[in-house]
Amino acid sequence: MARVRRVGKRWWVGAVGLLGLCVAAEVQPAYSQQSVAVRAALVKGSLPADDPTAAAWATASVSEFPMSPQVHWPVRITDVTAKSVKVRGLHDGTNVAIMLEYTDPSEDPDDAAALEFMVGDTKAHFAHGQPMAQVEGGPVNIWYWKNKDGKGADLGAKGFGTLKPHSHQDVKAKGVYQGGVWKVVFSRPLTTEHLAEDTQFKPGVFGSIAFAVWDGKKMETGQPKEKGSEKAISSWWYFRADAPPDYSPYMYALLAVALALGFELVLVRRLKKGS
Amino acid sequence: MGGVLIRPVILTICIYLFLKFIVPILPHSAPLPSSLIFLYLMLVMSGSVLFATLSGESKDAFFQPILRFLTGEGGGALGSARYLVLALFPLLVGWQTYGSTASSDAPPGENRTIHPAPPGEYTGLSNPVPKTPENIMYGKGLYASRCAPCHGNFDGKGFAAPGFTPPPANFKDPTTIAMLQESYLFWRIKKGGVGLPVEGMPWKTAMPRWELEMSDEDIWKVIMGEYDGAGQKPRTWDESE
C-alpha cells in the first residue's frame, strides 16, 4: 500500500519526464543543410572589396552551392571543372561585396566567373532572363569577371543573345588564384540610380542570386575548355544584405515576461484569498 | 491528486507519440507538420477539459488539484515543482513573443505547384505513335542523350542535376509521371520550364524547351521510353473518371 502511495505521489515526475522527451523530440537539431541563401553581414570599417585574401572574409558566413554543367540550352556542356562554389558576402551600409571561391586546377587567362540577379520585383528566368510563355519576365543583371581583363563588368540581358554591357559600369571585381583555388570578389554600391537595369539591395530583404564559372584552360584545339554557354551554372538561390541590429524583439519579450509574471502573481493571490 | 489529472496528461502524451512516431510509419503516410500536431493536441486537451467539467463534481475533482498546486498547498516536491512552473511560464511567454517579433533569417517560403494545369490544347491528347518495341527503344535512345543528363536513370539523379532547384523529376517516384497523362508530359517536354504558369515558378526550372530541338513525334517516343524505363504506366482517362 505504501508502495502504491509512493508511486502515486511520483506520477507527476514521470509525466514531466515524458513531457520533456516530447519537447526534445520537437526541438530540431541545428544541423547545417545545403545552403539556400547567402547572407552578407553588416561590417564596420572598410569593406575588403579589392582583397579576396583579407582577414575580414574569415568572419563572413560561408554558403556552398552545387554547380551543374549548362545543359539547359545549346551549346551544352557535359562536364565542368567547378562542382560547387563557396560564397561569402559583406556590406557596410553603402557598398556590398560578394566573394566566390571555387577550385580550379590551373590558372588561365580565360578563367571567368559571374553573379546574376533579378532586376526589380519582376521575376526573371535564371538563364539570362529568357522569355517565359505565361509570365512576363524581367531582365537580369550580370556581374562578370575574367582573369585576363582583371576587372569587373556590369552587364544586362533579357533573353538569349541580348547580353550586353551597361552604359554605366558600377561593378568592380578582383580575383586571386592561390593553391588551386580562385577567390573572386565582386563589389558595387548597394543601390544605384539605374533602377531598370541594376539590381538594388535593400538590407533585410531577400533577393535572388545565381552563379556561373568558366574554366578557361586551353584545350588542344586552342579553345578554352569552357566558354560562352559552356559553363558551370546554378539556378536561383537567395541573397540578403543583413539589416542593422534590431533590439526591439528583446524589449517586447521582456515586456511579455513582466506581464506574465504580473498575471501569475494576481492569479495566485486571488486563488489564495478564495481558498 | 493523480487520478483525474493524470489521465488527460497521459492521453495527451500518448496521442503526441502516436502522431509523431507512429503515423509516419503507417502505409501511404508521411510525417505530420508540427503545426498540425499542435492543433490535434489542442483538440485533445480541449476535449479533456470539456469532459472533466461535465458535472460539478468532476469539475471540482479536475480543478481542485490544480488550484492546490498553484496556491502551494502540500509543500514538499510539489512545492518545488510549483516554483518551477511559475518561473517557466513567463519565460515561455517571453520566448514566444521574441520568436514572433524577431525578423527571420529564413528565405521567403515558396509555394510551388508541382503539376500545374496545362493549357487547354494539351488536355486529353493521345499518343499518336504506335507503341512498338522499336519506337520505345528509339525513345529511350533520345532520353539517354537529351534527358538523362538531368533525370539520370529515370531517378532524377543525372550528373547535371545537383545545381538545379527545383531538382529534376524522379520518374520512378509514383507521384510523378505515374499520376500524369501522356498529354501532360507532351506539354512539359515540348514547352519546357518556361512554358509553366506563374504558380509553377517558370523562372527557376532548367527544363529545356524541347520543341526547338525535337519533333512532336520524337517527343511522343521519348514519353514512351520514359514510362517503359521507369516501369510506370501513364494515367488514362478511364482511370481518372
Side-chain angles (χ1 to χ4, degrees), chain B residues 126-142:
Chain B
S126 56
N127 194 333
V129 179
K131 194 174 280 185
T132 63
E134 293 76 21
N135 285 337
I136 291 174
M137 191 54 69
Y138 184 82
K140 281 185 173 175
L142 284 173

Side-chain angles (χ1 to χ4, degrees), chain A residues 25-243:
Chain A
E26 267 314 297
V27 174
Q28 302 296 321
Y31 296 135
S32 62
Q33 52 179 11
Q34 178 182 287
S35 302
V36 295
V38 181
R39 287 180 50 203
L42 177 62
V43 294
K44 290 177 181 172
S46 63
L47 208 58
D50 55 357
D51 185 3
T53 61
W57 285 112
T59 66
S61 61
V62 188
S63 302
E64 186 163 8
F65 302 90
M67 299 292 280
S68 285
Q70 193 291 110
V71 291
H72 178 60
W73 72 96
V75 177
R76 299 185 171 90
I77 186 169
T78 54
D79 183 38
V80 287
T81 302
K83 308 298 184 198
S84 68
V85 288
K86 290 179 180 170
V87 190
R88 295 171 174 84
L90 294 169
H91 79 101
D92 61 5
T94 306
N95 293 289
V96 62
I98 302 169
M99 182 166 81
L100 291 189
E101 178 183 335
Y102 57 93
T103 56
D104 184 342
S106 61
E107 180 186 0
D108 304 287
D110 287 312
D111 285 345
L115 305 177
E116 183 183 57
F117 304 92
M118 292 185 192
V119 178
D121 294 330
T122 309
K123 300 288 186 186
H125 193 273
F126 79 88
H128 284 203
Q130 65 170 307
M132 294 172 278
Q134 302 188 52
V135 184
E136 180 62 35
V140 291
N141 183 195
I142 293 171
W143 300 2
Y144 180 76
W145 164 88
K146 194 176 216 177
N147 186 22
K148 68 183 178 190
D149 297 340
K151 62 177 185 179
D154 193 359
L155 313 170
K158 191 176 179 184
F160 298 129
T162 64
L163 183 70
K164 62 178 182 184
H166 286 159
S167 55
H168 48 89
Q169 290 293 306
D170 306 307
V171 175
K172 294 176 182 171
K174 170 142 185 166
V176 168
Y177 185 81
Q178 282 178 345
V181 174
W182 270 114
K183 289 182 177 178
V184 184
V185 175
F186 297 87
S187 63
R188 207 206 67 178
L190 285 166
T191 56
T192 71
E193 296 173 353
H194 314 287
L195 303 182
E197 295 176 327
D198 290 343
T199 192
Q200 308 292 321
F201 300 100
K202 187 178 175 188
V205 177
F206 280 100
S208 297
I209 188 170
F211 315 102
V213 169
W214 293 258
D215 178 2
K217 181 184 178 184
K218 278 271 191 298
M219 305 304 284
E220 289 175 358
T221 58
Q223 292 293 311
K225 176 176 179 281
E226 297 168 16
K227 61 185 186 302
S229 64
E230 298 166 274
K231 57 185 172 180
I233 60 165
S234 79
S235 48
W236 291 122
W237 298 100
Y238 286 99
F239 176 85
R240 185 181 80 169
D242 283 352

Side-chain angles (χ1 to χ4, degrees), chain B:
Chain B
M1 174 172 173
V4 181
L5 263 183
I6 195 169
R7 280 196 292 269
V9 170
I10 289 176
L11 177 67
T12 306
I13 291 172
C14 288
I15 296 281
Y16 169 80
L17 294 174
F18 175 76
L19 295 172
K20 182 76 181 177
F21 299 108
I22 306 296
V23 168
I25 59 175
L26 295 177
H28 310 295
S29 187
L32 298 178
S34 295
S35 55
L36 191 58
I37 293 177
F38 179 74
L39 182 69
Y40 285 139
L41 294 184
M42 290 304 290
L43 285 171
V44 170
M45 286 191 271
S46 304
S48 299
V49 172
L50 276 175
F51 181 77
T53 55
L54 282 176
S55 71
E57 274 182 29
S58 63
K59 182 181 153 194
D60 287 344
F62 184 78
F63 282 114
Q64 280 305 320
I66 298 175
L67 297 182
R68 282 201 299 276
F69 177 76
L70 287 175
T71 52
E73 286 178 37
L78 276 181
S80 307
R82 173 177 173 261
Y83 285 118
L84 189 68
V85 169
L86 290 178
L88 283 179
F89 175 68
L91 291 177
L92 185 67
V93 171
W95 181 38
Q96 287 291 328
T97 306
Y98 175 80
S100 59
T101 54
S103 63
S104 170
D105 283 339
E110 293 183 345
N111 296 316
R112 182 172 73 98
T113 302
I114 297 173
H115 302 308
E121 64 264 33
Y122 293 95
T123 305
L125 291 179
S126 56
N127 194 333
V129 179
K131 194 174 280 185
T132 63
E134 293 76 21
N135 285 337
I136 291 174
M137 191 54 69
Y138 184 82
K140 281 185 173 175
L142 284 173
Y143 177 92
S145 62
R146 306 291 174 92
C147 316
C150 291
H151 293 282
N153 186 25
F154 308 97
D155 58 2
K157 294 178 181 169
F159 63 82
F164 296 131
T165 171
N170 170 6
F171 299 137
K172 291 179 177 173
D173 185 326
T175 64
T176 59
I177 58 173
M179 57 184 286
L180 298 169
Q181 297 172 358
E182 284 181 286
S183 57
Y184 193 94
L185 271 68
F186 182 70
W187 166 56
R188 293 290 286 109
I189 296 170
K190 186 178 170 81
K191 294 296 179 184
V194 293
L196 288 166
V198 65
E199 64 268 25
M201 296 188 177
W203 51 87
K204 294 198 80 169
T205 167
M207 178 72 180
R209 188 179 160 195
W210 285 112
E211 68 177 343
L212 301 178
E213 299 175 64
M214 279 200 285
S215 67
D216 284 1
E217 186 178 326
D218 281 354
I219 293 175
W220 285 117
K221 288 177 180 174
V222 167
I223 292 169
M224 285 194 292
E226 270 181 19
Y227 277 107
D228 191 77
Q232 307 281 9
K233 284 190 166 53
R235 190 174 178 184
T236 63
W237 277 106
D238 289 342
E239 287 171 1
S240 61
E241 281 173 353

